[in-house]
Amino acid sequence: ATRVERLGRPAGRIDALDVAPDGRIAFIRARSLWVAAPDGGSARRILRAGGRFASLGSPSWSPDGGRIAFDWLRCPARTLDIYTVRPD
């Protein structure tokens, strides 16, 4: 049987997420990149998309858990770039 475990209830909509090899959770909420502990608690903001018409998306952990890749869309120029950031 498959076991489903609830990690918590986020305050707001989560647009995308990814789980690191060590269980940490990277997620996008309110135009910001967040990282939470494996149990879903103690989330902290890593960065926020600047500007009213900017957004972050598609977080993806590196295989060693040392970096998070994500895309950053900037409007009205409609430029989409890919970045990496350390989660600490």
Side-chain angles (χ1 to χ4, degrees):
T2 301
R3 180 173 176 216
V4 177
E5 182 178 343
R6 180 176 169 179
L7 298 178
R9 180 171 291 158
R13 179 179 158 203
I14 292 178
D15 294 317
L17 63 86
D18 191 39
V19 179
D22 65 2
R24 289 175 294 168
I25 303 164
F27 61 94
I28 304 295
R29 181 178 69 207
R31 295 188 348 243
S32 296
L33 174 63
W34 298 76
V35 172
D39 64 3
S42 63
R44 60 190 171 80
R45 185 175 9 212
I46 303 300
L47 65 93
R48 178 177 168 84
R52 185 172 163 202
F53 300 107
S55 65
L56 304 176
S58 308
S60 182
W61 289 93
S62 62
D64 67 358
R67 298 192 74 78
I68 304 167
F70 60 95
D71 63 58
W72 193 329
L73 175 64
R74 291 183 179 94
C75 294
R78 295 187 183 259
T79 58
L80 180 65
D81 297 302
I82 299 172
Y83 293 89
T84 65
V85 65
R86 295 184 54 83
D88 45 21

